[in-house]
Amino acid sequence: MDIDQILDRIYALPEASKASLKKHITEVSHPKYFCLMESDKIIPYIYFIRKGIVRAYASTADNDITFWFGSEGETIVSMKSYVEDKPGYESIELLEDCDLYILETESLRKLFNEDIHIANWGRKFAERELVKTEELIISRQFKTSLERYKDLMINKTDLLKRVQLGHIASYLGITQVSLSRIRAEIK
């Protein structure tokens, strides 16, 4: 997915504003298993996924708990770093070789002050991230692991083909054995 499509998914910008924003965006590539973001560090960048898949997770003493997957067209951001310039909670690992677009947060903040359209784009961006977080919390609190797995089957079909079952089980908050039972029950 190219950067124009990704930016437009967030909020349609006038061409001059989009061109101004794109001047601050570059493309980077990283290999599978690369740690793009580490928890407890300030992340001064926003990433947009051109190609590949990533997972956000938090580490406990016993294991890593996956709470989000991102794929083509999605945004990767530590909201704590983005909003407050403080260390984030999550780590981001690439689950495939990834091509990403990168935007420095400080450059974006300067553009907010120069262009009302980009400021509105930033507001829409933050609103979308808030809704995404809200959906994750509600899903975790009110849906069973079977319901959440079915949601993945409907909304993120490609994810199930591209991500290790261990990460999917972690995302659902269950063991791989329980995930195998769910998969057998659905077939």
Side-chain angles (χ1 to χ4, degrees), residues 13-168:
L13 286 165
E15 284 308 313
S17 298
K18 189 189 296 185
S20 185
L21 180 56
K22 285 170 46 177
K23 286 180 187 172
H24 297 274
I25 297 173
T26 57
E27 194 170 333
V28 295
S29 296
H30 294 291
K32 183 177 184 176
Y33 302 125
F34 181 80
C35 184
L36 190 66
M37 295 181 183
E38 290 183 60
S39 64
D40 300 321
K41 292 191 177 180
I42 296 173
I43 308 300
Y45 304 103
I46 298 169
Y47 296 90
F48 308 97
I49 305 171
R50 181 178 166 277
K51 182 176 126 301
I53 196 159
V54 305
R55 76 178 179 116
Y57 66 94
S59 296
T60 67
D62 300 325
N63 57 3
D64 293 341
I65 299 168
T66 300
F67 58 86
W68 176 77
F69 295 104
S71 58
E72 288 81 4
E74 295 190 71
T75 305
I76 306 167
V77 64
S78 168
M79 285 304 283
K80 185 88 168 164
S81 294
Y82 175 72
V83 173
E84 298 182 341
D85 279 326
K86 292 184 179 174
Y89 309 105
E90 66 278 278
S91 293
I92 304 288
E93 177 187 32
L94 308 186
L95 299 180
E96 296 177 346
D97 293 343
C98 287
D99 296 330
L100 308 163
Y101 298 105
I102 183 172
L103 171 61
E104 193 173 325
T105 307
E106 191 54 38
S107 297
L108 182 58
R109 287 186 184 126
K110 287 177 184 169
L111 289 170
F112 289 162
N113 292 324
E114 297 169 8
D115 186 323
I116 188 66
H117 301 292
I118 295 174
N120 282 333
W121 179 90
R123 178 181 49 82
K124 292 305 272 183
F125 164 74
E127 289 170 356
R128 287 173 57 107
E129 290 301 311
L130 176 63
V131 168
K132 185 168 69 174
T133 302
E134 183 178 65
E135 287 172 350
L136 283 171
I137 292 168
I138 290 169
S139 173
R140 275 272 206 225
Q141 293 294 319
F142 297 105
K143 291 185 177 183
T144 66
S145 36
L146 173 62
E147 290 169 325
R148 291 199 327 273
Y149 184 77
K150 285 180 178 179
D151 284 348
L152 286 177
M153 288 177 64
I154 294 165
N155 301 314
K156 298 234 180 201
T157 346
D158 65 322
L159 182 89
L160 298 176
K161 297 173 189 163
R162 297 165 67 185
V163 174
Q164 295 173 14
L165 291 180
H167 293 317
I168 292 171

